[in-house]
Amino acid sequence: KVDTEKSEIPYICSSFRTLLYLPLTDTELRPGDHIEVETRFYLPRISEDFDRKSYQNAQGRFIQASSTESDEELPLTIHSCEKMPIRYFPAALAERWKEKFASGFDPQVGGFMTSLLLGDRSELLDEDYINLKKSGLSHITAVSGMHLMILIAFVTRIFGRRWGMVLSVPLVLFFSCMAGNPPSVMRASIMVIAASVSFLMMDTTDSLTILSLSLMILLLHNPYSITNISLQ
């Protein structure tokens, strides 16, 4: 998230989201850290028959950035936050789980658990990712409604259906933040929350109405998300 005021960028909002490409650094980044670096902004385009512009716009990123310096001359300054804002706590917890998986299991198992539970495929071995794609099972590593339904089923089994529905709403919101709020998770979260509220108020749900409500909210938030293959 680019702070336009500190960066002295003339923009109508105080910040905007971007995808920033930087060389690897020895300093480990944590949620809530601030980075100072000179970058070059550019619009994503079609590259190697892949429409990066449509893909990035569907993720809510309409401009990208990359470092303007070489690896050796990178004037990168990292400011670690003394007290992490509470809004970054889910992301920090996800990073902690990721570290636990990496230290407690071998790379293959740890990478698969991270991708399966958190939707983070960065630690998944290339061989496993290719095998999942060939078998048509790569969708299980993308956090979606399946993960949320497992979470809700677990909660309702312990606390009963009514109290389970009440407790599932904050749990779903927290888990969505842990997974980074991709469109697939946002869609499922809206549907789960709407279904829970409908059940608590009227003891019934209408799947088509809930799906339409979810689609409407997502498109109001970002109309370009209609090009996302997961949403389609």
Side-chain angles (χ1 to χ4, degrees):
K1 187 171 67 173
V2 179
D3 189 323
T4 56
E5 295 178 357
K6 292 183 178 179
S7 305
E8 298 181 357
I9 298 176
Y11 193 67
I12 191 171
C13 299
S14 60
S15 65
F16 64 88
R17 294 179 61 203
T18 186
L19 184 64
L20 173 61
Y21 291 97
L22 289 174
L24 294 176
T25 64
D26 294 330
T27 305
E28 188 173 1
L29 294 176
R30 295 287 184 178
D33 289 351
H34 293 263
I35 304 173
E36 288 186 19
V37 64
E38 184 176 335
T39 61
R40 174 180 63 91
F41 290 101
Y42 62 94
L43 294 175
R45 58 185 183 278
I46 298 176
S47 177
E48 298 177 356
D49 296 327
F50 177 61
D51 191 352
R52 299 180 184 276
K53 181 178 181 180
S54 296
Y55 176 78
Q56 296 297 340
N57 289 353
Q59 307 297 322
R61 299 187 291 255
F62 304 99
I63 189 172
Q64 293 182 217
S66 64
S67 169
T68 58
E69 302 292 338
S70 63
D71 295 14
E72 295 78 12
E73 301 174 350
L74 181 66
L76 176 64
T77 305
I78 301 174
H79 302 279
S80 299
C81 57
E82 298 180 0
K83 186 177 181 180
M84 182 184 301
I86 192 171
R87 66 179 180 274
Y88 293 123
F89 178 72
L93 183 60
E95 288 294 321
R96 193 173 305 170
W97 280 17
K98 183 178 174 181
E99 293 173 359
K100 293 291 185 181
F101 294 151
S103 60
F105 302 94
D106 62 74
Q108 185 178 32
V109 176
F112 187 77
M113 290 184 66
T114 301
S115 61
L116 181 64
L117 298 177
L118 302 174
D120 185 350
R121 300 177 181 174
S122 61
E123 302 298 323
L124 191 65
L125 299 183
D126 293 339
E127 180 182 0
D128 291 337
Y129 180 66
I130 292 173
N131 290 334
L132 286 171
K133 289 189 67 175
K134 287 181 177 179
S135 60
L137 296 174
S138 58
H139 62 279
I140 67 174
T141 59
V143 176
S144 59
M146 179 188 72
H147 297 74
L148 298 183
M149 290 310 298
I150 293 174
L151 176 63
I152 293 171
F154 177 75
V155 176
T156 53
R157 187 64 180 267
I158 295 177
F159 299 99
R161 189 171 185 183
R162 183 164 293 275
W163 278 107
M165 287 291 187
V166 174
L167 295 174
S168 65
V169 173
L171 285 177
V172 163
L173 292 174
F174 189 84
F175 181 76
S176 299
C177 293
M178 286 183 63
N181 286 319
S184 59
V185 175
M186 290 181 63
R187 181 183 65 253
S189 300
I190 295 171
M191 291 188 65
V192 166
I193 293 172
S196 299
V197 173
S198 176
F199 174 78
L200 291 172
M201 294 180 64
M202 299 177 291
D203 287 332
T204 184
T205 58
D206 181 1
S207 300
L208 184 59
T209 302
I210 293 173
L211 180 62
S212 302
L213 174 66
S214 171
L215 181 63
M216 182 183 69
I217 294 175
L218 284 175
L219 293 180
L220 285 173
H221 178 259
N222 178 17
Y224 293 93
S225 63
I226 193 65
T227 60
N228 185 279
I229 188 65
S230 175
L231 183 137
Q232 294 175 6

